[in-house]
Amino acid sequence: MKLLDKLHHPEKYFVIFLKWGLLGLIMGILGGLLGAGFHHALHFVTDLRGKSPWLVLLLPLAGLLSVGIYRLFRLRNNRGTNEIIDAVLNGEQVKPLIAPAIFLATTLTHFFGGSAGREGAALQLGGSTGSMLGRLFRLPENERTVLIMSGMSAVFAGLFGTPLTATLFTMEFSSVGTIFSPALLPCYLAAFTASRL
């Protein structure tokens, strides 16, 4: 009976398709701009550090500045990428200030010659941005989770230029070994759009 109901009301699915297509595109544009900005910021500070190798001596200062940034943004108990993964798996809230904090702290670390990965930072930037957008649009928790995943895919693809990898990588967080999910369409649209900016 449910299958027949679905066949008699295809307009509902068309509206859902349009909604998530539009949200995926919006997230892709935001994530692409954020990923590109992050890439250029890291490239710029890495070039500066290459011209001034003595900056590595000030690496402890970068650590203090990073701690200061997290305290300023009231992120003392931040769990990094694990917080974003928990938001996908358990519907936990993502603090909106994670995005600027991770952007600034990672850029500072690279500027002073520290070792900081870009993958985790990309996931945190995207997840935080997706969560903010979900709150802005007043989406329910399960839909906000899809937008968090779309944001993760978008920034990852915007930073590394790999939309399919970004989509599949993000999808693995919600269901290990399975790529079928309602998040597939918005994640791929977001990642593809972001990779083209």
Side-chain angles (χ1 to χ4, degrees):
M1 188 65 176
K2 288 184 180 180
L3 180 60
L4 289 176
D5 288 342
K6 291 178 182 179
L7 293 175
H8 288 296
H9 300 287
E11 66 278 358
K12 291 180 184 177
Y13 294 95
F14 184 68
V15 169
I16 292 169
F17 178 81
L18 284 179
K19 171 186 170 181
W20 284 109
L22 182 60
L23 286 172
L25 288 173
I26 292 169
M27 195 68 252
I29 292 167
L30 289 174
L33 293 173
L34 190 55
F38 188 55
H39 170 76
H40 290 301
L42 293 181
H43 185 69
F44 177 73
V45 298
T46 302
D47 279 351
L48 283 178
R49 189 200 64 238
K51 294 173 184 171
S52 307
W54 57 268
L55 283 170
V56 76
L57 299 173
L58 300 176
L59 190 56
L61 176 63
L64 292 173
L65 289 172
S66 294
V67 168
I69 288 168
Y70 277 83
R71 287 190 178 197
L72 178 68
F73 292 156
R74 296 189 175 114
L75 298 170
R76 292 183 184 181
N77 297 323
N78 183 276
R79 297 185 326 269
T81 307
N82 289 338
E83 189 165 327
I84 304 300
I85 294 169
D86 287 342
V88 171
L89 295 176
N90 306 321
E92 292 184 15
Q93 293 290 326
V94 177
K95 297 176 186 85
L97 293 176
I98 287 176
I102 194 69
F103 192 103
L104 291 171
T106 305
T107 303
L108 275 171
T109 302
H110 280 258
F111 179 64
F112 288 104
S115 176
R118 299 173 185 211
E119 297 84 357
L123 296 176
Q124 291 178 60
L125 285 167
S128 178
T129 305
S131 180
M132 283 189 286
L133 195 62
R135 286 184 192 149
L136 179 70
F137 290 143
R138 300 178 191 273
L139 296 178
E141 183 181 306
N142 62 328
E143 292 184 359
R144 196 176 312 138
T145 298
V146 173
L147 212 50
I148 290 170
M149 292 171 66
S150 299
M152 293 163 68
S153 296
V155 176
F156 198 92
L159 184 59
F160 297 107
T162 55
L164 186 58
T165 301
T167 302
L168 296 177
F169 182 56
T170 303
M171 302 294 292
E172 285 288 315
F173 287 121
S174 64
S175 52
V176 177
T178 307
I179 61 167
F180 178 75
S181 168
L184 184 59
L185 172 70
C187 283
Y188 185 72
L189 276 174
F192 182 80
T193 304
S195 70
R196 295 295 175 247
L197 293 180

